[in-house]
Amino acid sequence: MLSVPFRLARRSIGSAARRVPLAFAFDIDGVLIRGPEVIPAAQRALRFLDGHNPLRAKIPFIQITNGGGELESVKVQKLSKQLDFPIYEEQFVQSHTVLRKLVAEYSNKPVLVLGGKGDTGRRIAQHYGFKDVYIPLDVLAWQPSVWPLGAEFISPSDLNIARRADFSRTPIEAVFVLHDPRPSWFLEIQVVTDILRSQYLTAAAPPPKLVFCNPDLLWRGQFPKSRLGQGGFREALMGVYRALEGKEYPYKMFGKPTRETYDFAKNLLRAQLGSDLTHTRIYMVGDNPESDIAGANAAGWHSALVRTGVYDPAHGKPAHEPTFEAEDVDEAVLEAFKRECGPEPRTP
């Protein structure tokens, strides 16, 4: 394990960071890891940021991922073990972290949450401060005929986690898609379209707010080709709603490349430095032009596009142009450091 934990070294990191005019934001999947495997360049880059650089300074960084499905505390513990490097909640933003912004508005209102194994989505929302939280299994337990195929795909033990409620008297005021829905899109799409069409409500109510936390259509894991992400579920859900209603349903988007996510991340960097970022140039290192690079460019950050994930230069120029391209995260960090701090980035 490398060096001094962030919590114990806040002052030293802050003072060192003020000596270097740059900070980093990293995507995770396709940049630092690929599935359960660590990309070798990641450990070299993290070691460089940890003080093994010509300035002997700790360079501040955060991670911004469109992944999710677990509490931030659980995610950083797993990531720290995987990378063999200490990562802390103060340095970590996942797709649904920004939902905390909505707690004040919906803390005591009934909300439906999708994503995460079992009732993990409910527990995440409750941890954030939402008090009246339901999941699709709760609706199925209330009225099995909501999804007639449920008996074939949902076991009695699955329903043991259901929260009992009468949804004819429980108007859902918001639907939060935290993470990729499980175990079947069929149940999720049926329940959400019913709610959006107010099928369960006995009285008139305002249209429920719909929030997606991850716009990514594709992401890169161990499989040689990119896999469908939450963006695939969004397209399916919106397609079904459009086929039923003949119109679009308005929704709110969080996650990269949305401005809310980058503003939230910038505040984490500001807190890590203990000062404003007026003289600090932020470099976003990512593998997805549509999320990492587009979001960084819109936020006024610099950006480095790596070739270890979604982006493949053989398929043509990226849809959003980065500040520069790099083979991997280590090359990206060295290039950014050279641009801001001088021509000799690697220490012996």
Side-chain angles (χ1 to χ4, degrees):
M1 191 70 72
L2 293 177
S3 198
V4 184
F6 173 75
R7 294 180 197 277
L8 302 180
R10 186 183 299 273
R11 181 174 298 178
S12 63
I13 287 178
S15 60
R18 282 191 287 273
R19 296 199 302 269
V20 293
L22 79 167
F24 288 93
F26 299 113
D27 181 33
I28 297 177
D29 291 303
V31 175
L32 302 179
I33 61 175
R34 190 182 292 121
E37 297 178 357
V38 176
I39 295 173
Q43 292 180 321
R44 297 194 298 271
L46 291 171
R47 182 176 174 82
F48 186 87
L49 299 180
D50 198 49
H52 295 263
N53 55 65
L55 297 181
R56 307 292 183 187
K58 290 181 180 290
I59 300 172
F61 69 91
I62 56 174
Q63 277 127 359
I64 317 175
T65 175
N66 274 350
E70 294 180 303
L71 287 170
E72 286 77 6
S73 58
V74 174
K75 281 284 192 179
V76 297
Q77 185 177 19
K78 290 181 178 180
L79 188 61
S80 296
K81 184 177 181 179
Q82 191 173 6
L83 293 171
D84 191 26
F85 190 92
I87 306 297
Y88 299 94
E89 287 186 63
E90 295 93 335
Q91 298 169 288
F92 188 75
V93 181
Q94 57 184 342
S95 60
H96 45 72
T97 304
V98 189
L99 272 180
R100 298 172 188 266
K101 293 165 57 74
L102 300 181
V103 170
E105 184 178 358
Y106 291 98
S107 61
N108 295 301
K109 297 176 181 177
V111 300
L112 184 86
V113 168
L114 280 64
K117 295 181 180 179
D119 65 346
T120 302
R122 188 201 319 273
R123 289 186 277 114
I124 291 170
Q126 290 172 333
H127 178 77
Y128 289 168
F130 300 100
K131 297 181 177 64
D132 198 10
V133 185
Y134 299 93
I135 60 177
L137 283 174
D138 301 343
V139 180
L140 187 64
W142 163 68
Q143 190 65 263
S145 61
V146 161
W147 189 40
L149 298 177
E152 298 181 35
F153 296 95
I154 305 296
S155 69
S157 61
D158 290 327
L159 294 177
N160 288 339
I161 63 174
R163 178 185 174 192
R164 305 296 166 167
D166 180 355
F167 286 93
S168 68
R169 300 174 180 271
T170 308
I172 298 296
E173 299 201 22
V175 176
F176 301 146
V177 186
L178 270 75
H179 192 53
D180 303 343
R182 306 175 190 207
S184 168
W185 284 7
F186 205 140
L187 171 62
E188 327 296 66
I189 288 175
Q190 182 68 75
V191 169
V192 175
T193 53
D194 282 349
I195 289 172
L196 299 184
R197 302 172 78 204
S198 300
Q199 290 286 311
Y200 303 147
L201 309 185
T202 57
K209 187 181 186 72
L210 176 60
V211 178
F212 294 97
C213 292
N214 178 359
D216 287 352
L217 180 63
L218 299 172
W219 68 287
R220 183 70 182 271
Q222 281 184 295
F223 196 76
K225 299 293 184 181
S226 298
R227 302 290 83 192
L228 285 174
Q230 192 185 123
F233 173 77
R234 183 188 73 246
E235 291 298 320
L237 175 62
M238 293 293 92
V240 169
Y241 182 86
R242 186 166 53 248
L244 291 170
E245 295 290 320
K247 61 182 179 181
E248 302 292 329
Y249 193 92
Y251 60 83
K252 178 70 177 175
M253 182 66 73
F254 289 138
K256 298 177 296 183
T258 66
R259 188 58 184 261
E260 287 91 345
T261 293
Y262 280 82
D263 286 346
F264 192 97
K266 190 172 183 178
N267 285 335
L268 288 189
L269 273 175
R270 186 179 291 111
Q272 190 178 147
L273 282 164
S275 64
D276 64 36
L277 299 173
T278 304
H279 303 295
T280 302
R281 186 160 291 169
I282 304 172
Y283 281 82
M284 175 75 213
V285 182
D287 69 306
N288 190 331
E290 300 289 346
S291 58
D292 303 316
I293 306 308
N297 292 349
W301 299 4
H302 280 44
S303 56
L305 180 61
V306 298
R307 305 182 185 113
T308 50
V310 170
Y311 172 61
D312 184 348
H315 295 158
K317 300 181 73 171
H320 299 273
E321 186 175 355
T323 305
F324 62 86
E325 294 185 23
E327 193 61 36
D328 55 38
V329 64
D330 185 45
E331 184 179 298
V333 165
L334 295 181
E335 175 62 25
F337 186 90
K338 182 171 69 174
R339 290 180 178 221
E340 303 301 328
C341 302
E344 300 293 337
R346 180 69 80 189
T347 52

